[in-house]
Amino acid sequence: MLFSRSAITIGVAGALLAGCGAPPPASMPQDAISRIAAATVHPDRSPSWMAPRAKASHLLYVTNAGTGSVSVFSYPAGKPSGNLTGFTKPMGDCVDQAGHVWI
């Protein structure tokens, strides 16, 4: 999907939860590993939205593979500026020279 606006992007692809496929550290207690593995993540089924003021600001895009959504924040203030939904495991984002954001 393509979104237009100059942006600073960060891809948070559920790496904290998934550990990027790496095994958990040996020092992590087994009960903590079990709680993480049992965590249920539900898809974000709310409609997508963008604040009208978002067009006039720098934006930070944060992907969430677990919910299939992308949270959008003003940068550097960090105020919510939008929420894009309907993705299937978004795993990052990038921006091209024209300022188009690709998820």
Side-chain angles (χ1 to χ4, degrees):
M1 262 186 193
L2 167 70
F3 300 96
S4 180
R5 181 72 204 129
S6 61
I8 296 174
T9 62
I10 290 182
V12 178
L16 292 176
L17 240 173
C20 292
S27 61
M28 183 178 281
Q30 186 60 42
D31 63 324
I33 296 169
S34 298
R35 284 194 308 270
I36 292 170
T40 302
V41 180
H42 299 284
D44 185 349
R45 301 201 190 284
S46 63
S48 292
W49 65 274
M50 288 295 289
R53 71 180 184 278
K55 290 182 181 181
S57 64
H58 293 283
L59 301 173
L60 173 74
Y61 291 75
V62 181
T63 58
N64 185 326
T67 62
S69 65
V70 177
S71 300
V72 184
F73 301 93
S74 63
Y75 182 83
K79 295 184 179 185
S81 296
N83 190 45
L84 308 173
T85 61
F87 294 95
T88 302
K89 296 183 181 179
M91 296 284 193
D93 42 35
C94 64
V95 75
D96 65 16
Q97 290 181 335
H100 299 120
V101 178
W102 297 85
I103 307 297

